[in-house]
């Protein structure tokens, strides 16, 4: 599968690239091609140093969209609208949102837009795209810690059954991840709201990279 990561130079993008590029072709995007190439080279060197496979290239965000079958939007919520306005060709694509709108006050709080969730806003902005949530509740540190145990449940929401199956397939192809069909995109506020809960648990218990497992 060709997986594009828009904002692939960030915390979560870098972590996702390290694990996804071992299994799929990753097309890592950035607003700056040079930054994307540096992130792509770093990923390649890290995996090569461990004797692990890696298929990755660094490109601009638009090329990541153009070349990918599945596009992951690994950008902060406040930049979603501007980023989507700067890109073309997302209509008809499977678009994965790991985006969680949250604020840090006395605790981490879920701060969704009027549409209900980041994913629902993205679907409204990209009416032709097949938007699914996935990977919302896995900390970047956990993605990056290649030598640590990695076992997470991934709630997948979406309104297009075929797109949801594709995303579930992507999730289950990554060792340590188990997809769970959480229903339509209307459920995505609940999935996104889990993340500030995890961050609060981590903060108040002095834990790191808290995740979830459904059983
Ligand atoms: N971090 C986590 O542990 C975690 C866990 C689960 C979900 N998430 C979600 O994943 C998303 C990304 O999180 P992150 O921590 O990786 O974010 P981040 O590191 O702060 O930023 C990710 C990338 O977004 C791009 N970006 C920054 N400002 C931008 C702007 N003004 N316009 C367009 N693009 C911009 C940058 O890429 P370029 O400069 O290369 O363009 C940056 O590397 C968020 O929505 C977050 O809720 C994060």
């Amino acid at each position: 599968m060709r997986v594009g990561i828009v904002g692939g130079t960030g915390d979560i993008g870098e972590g996702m690239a390290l694990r996804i590029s071992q299994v799929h072709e990753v097309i890592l995007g950035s607003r700056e091609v040079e930054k994307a190439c540096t992130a792509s080279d770093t990923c390649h060197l890290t995996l090569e140093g461990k004797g692990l496979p890696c298929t990755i290239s660094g490109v601009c965000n638009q090329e990541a969209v153009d070349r990918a079958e599945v596009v992951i939007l690994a950008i902060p919520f406040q930049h979603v609208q501007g980023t989507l306005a700067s890109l073309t060709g997302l209509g008809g694509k499977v678009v994965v949102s790991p985006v969680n709108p949250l604020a840090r006050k006395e605790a981490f709080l879920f701060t969704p837009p009027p549409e209900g969730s980041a994913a629902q806003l993205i679907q409204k902005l990209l009416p032709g795209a097949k938007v699914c949530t996935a990977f919302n509740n896995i900390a970047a540190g956990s993605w990056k810690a290649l030598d640590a145990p990695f076992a997470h449940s991934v709630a997948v929401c979406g309104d297009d059954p075929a797109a949801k199956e594709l995303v579930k397939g992507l999730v289950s192809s990554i060792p340590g991840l188990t997809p769970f069909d959480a229903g339509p995109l209307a459920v995505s506020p609940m999935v996104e709201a889990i993340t500030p809960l995890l961050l609060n648990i981590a903060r108040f218990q002095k834990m790191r990279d808290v995740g979830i497992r459904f059983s």
Side-chain angles (χ1 to χ4, degrees):
M1 201 182 288
R2 289 187 311 281
V3 181
I5 308 181
V6 169
T9 58
D11 219 17
I12 199 82
E14 185 192 332
M16 285 179 176
L18 280 169
R19 290 184 189 266
I20 299 176
S21 70
Q22 294 182 49
V23 185
H24 300 283
E25 178 183 350
V26 167
I27 305 143
L28 187 152
S30 166
R31 288 167 296 171
E32 295 168 46
V33 178
E34 210 172 302
K35 201 172 159 188
C37 290
T38 303
S40 157
D41 290 348
T42 304
C43 177
H44 203 272
L45 283 172
T46 303
L47 295 179
E48 195 178 46
K50 291 179 177 293
L52 296 168
C54 178
T55 309
I56 192 164
S57 52
V59 297
C60 66
N61 282 331
Q62 184 61 58
E63 192 175 337
V65 169
D66 293 342
R67 283 172 50 194
E69 297 166 76
V70 176
V71 179
I72 301 174
L73 296 178
I75 44 176
F77 174 71
Q78 62 269 31
H79 303 311
V80 161
Q81 216 150 341
T83 301
L84 294 184
S86 73
L87 297 170
T88 58
L90 280 161
K93 295 255 181 191
V94 176
V95 174
V96 174
S97 171
V99 178
N100 303 307
L102 52 84
R104 185 178 180 161
K105 296 192 175 160
E106 70 282 7
F108 290 96
L109 301 173
F110 181 48
T111 54
E115 289 75 12
S117 67
Q120 288 167 302
L121 171 64
I122 292 165
Q123 185 66 82
K124 185 178 153 188
L125 294 170
L126 302 172
K130 296 156 191 167
V131 178
C132 293
T133 60
F135 309 124
N136 299 70
N137 313 128
I138 306 174
S142 192
W143 283 101
K144 290 183 199 175
L146 293 178
D147 298 325
F150 186 70
H152 295 274
S153 297
V154 176
V156 181
C157 297
D159 292 336
D160 184 287
K164 195 152 59 172
E165 280 312 306
L166 190 79
V167 174
K168 282 170 64 189
L170 169 62
V171 172
S172 59
S173 71
I174 311 302
L177 299 187
T178 310
F180 286 81
D181 187 340
L185 217 54
V187 178
S188 58
M190 297 175 216
V191 175
E192 295 177 9
I194 291 172
T195 298
L197 172 68
L198 298 176
L199 290 169
N200 288 318
I201 288 170
R203 179 176 169 196
F204 294 114
Q205 258 66 216
K206 300 198 190 323
M207 295 165 72
R208 286 178 68 86
D209 301 333
V210 175
I212 51 165
R213 283 171 82 180
F214 304 125
S215 65

